[in-house]
Amino acid sequence: MSGSLEKSLAILEYLANHPDGAPLVQIATALNQLRSGCHRTLHELIRFGYVRQLPQRGDYALSTKLASLGLSYLSRSGVVDIAQPVINRLAEATEELVRLAVVDGERLTLMAKAQGARSGLKYDPDMGIDLRLSCSAAGHAWLMTLSEDAAIACVTRQGMGDPRHFGPNAPTSIKALLKMLDEHRKRGYSLIQDVYAPGMSSMAAPVARPKEPATGVVVIAGPSSRLTHKRMLGFAPLLLTAASELADAGNASPLLKAANVGTWGNVGEAAAAAPARRPARPPAKATPQGRVNRAR
């Protein structure tokens, strides 16, 4: 590893996964950096306010500066202001956890959530994480809007991950994943059980305007004991309507407008490879009488 910037970013990313801090030897070893150079970089980061040294053990940990920058960016992007009322309504109607993941280049990052479960088991993963494309409902919902070659390329670059870390139904090969994506396309949204994690169900729909790439994904998730296959099928019209609402409002947010354009303005390879495919079935709309009609 060379370059002071690369070393600094590697340290920041490492410490982000160690909120309790880590000693110098551990950081330098994990990042394959010389101990002396790692020590200098850490103290430069301390000088600029991104890292702090814990008083008792002398370990190094992130300060709140990065978190503050991230929250400031989100508040100015408008994505939470636009999405929150929509996902709040969906969470209230389904009484399950609803999340919004935003496409950034070839990554899907959780950005907003609403918890609809009022009692019993509650599923609530960390916000801000990048989702595993091959085994998450959100990942599948986005991949199904891409061409087969582009979807394979995205998953190959990210990797399938260790099957032991996911549910028993997680795909372990590209062939198995493509079969699942075909099933999702037929229904117009993804639906998985015991895939991302044992005992967890989820479904997701892409946020996309006609003939444009998907900018995000709306997800409903909960324990499989409660969020059954039958219940998820019943929630489909509500999910598709929410995704359609967010797609229509997306141009008001710079973050949602930048579909498949990385945070730094780098055009995602998946977007360059092929135009987005629209879901096979159009969003559902509720009539005043409460029935659900499929748009034709």
Side-chain angles (χ1 to χ4, degrees):
M1 180 180 292
S2 61
S4 59
L5 178 59
E6 185 179 0
K7 292 177 180 178
S8 298
L9 292 174
I11 290 173
L12 292 175
E13 291 177 358
Y14 183 82
L15 291 179
N17 291 314
H18 294 79
D20 293 330
L24 170 63
V25 175
Q26 179 181 324
I27 299 170
T29 302
L31 300 179
N32 195 27
Q33 296 185 16
L34 292 175
R35 196 177 304 177
S36 59
C38 185
H39 183 266
R40 286 194 299 272
T41 304
L42 281 165
H43 280 268
E44 280 295 292
L45 291 170
I46 289 174
R47 186 166 70 89
F48 286 101
Y50 290 97
V51 171
R52 58 194 173 93
Q53 192 165 16
L54 304 179
Q56 294 181 343
R57 305 190 308 272
D59 291 355
Y60 297 90
L62 288 182
S63 70
T64 59
K65 187 170 184 178
L66 273 179
S68 177
L69 287 173
L71 291 172
S72 178
Y73 169 66
L74 275 183
S75 67
R76 287 167 172 77
S77 72
V79 63
V80 176
D81 292 338
I82 291 169
Q84 203 65 54
V86 177
I87 65 175
N88 283 350
R89 289 197 300 271
L90 185 58
E92 183 178 358
T94 61
E95 297 187 0
E96 296 292 355
L97 176 70
V98 176
R99 300 175 292 170
L100 172 69
V102 172
V103 177
D104 184 13
E106 293 186 357
R107 303 183 303 172
L108 271 178
T109 305
L110 294 174
M111 305 295 281
K113 68 177 180 179
Q115 179 61 264
R118 295 180 175 86
S119 62
L121 293 173
K122 293 185 179 181
Y123 175 70
D124 197 352
D126 295 333
M127 295 300 294
I129 64 172
D130 288 344
L131 293 168
R132 179 71 62 174
L133 300 177
S134 63
C135 62
S136 64
H140 286 196
W142 179 52
L143 291 174
M144 76 181 197
T145 68
L146 306 177
S147 69
E148 187 173 287
D149 289 343
I152 292 172
C154 287
V155 172
T156 300
R157 278 187 283 271
Q158 188 188 53
M160 300 284 288
D162 189 336
R164 295 175 299 176
H165 298 159
F166 307 111
N169 295 332
T172 57
S173 67
I174 294 294
K175 182 179 179 181
L177 173 62
L178 293 178
K179 182 180 179 180
M180 295 178 75
L181 294 181
D182 284 340
E183 294 172 357
H184 299 328
R185 289 189 184 101
K186 290 175 184 177
R187 71 170 73 91
Y189 56 90
S190 65
L191 187 154
I192 62 175
Q193 290 185 293
D194 298 319
V195 174
Y196 190 71
M200 194 271 281
S201 298
S202 55
M203 60 190 302
V207 176
R209 295 169 68 88
K211 298 182 180 179
E212 293 182 8
T215 58
V217 177
V218 185
V219 187
I220 302 173
S224 297
S225 59
R226 187 175 64 227
L227 189 57
T228 62
H229 187 271
K230 182 178 180 179
R231 284 191 76 213
M232 286 194 285
L233 292 178
F235 291 155
L238 297 173
L239 174 68
L240 293 169
T241 297
S244 179
E245 287 183 41
L246 288 171
D248 290 340
N251 281 337
S253 165
L255 191 57
L256 279 176
K257 268 196 307 187
N260 296 298
V261 177
T263 305
W264 306 278
N266 301 316
V267 177
E269 294 182 42
R277 295 180 185 174
R278 293 292 292 164
R281 299 170 67 190
K285 297 181 179 179
T287 65
Q289 291 76 24
R291 297 189 302 272
V292 174
N293 291 334
R294 181 69 54 184
R296 299 184 184 278

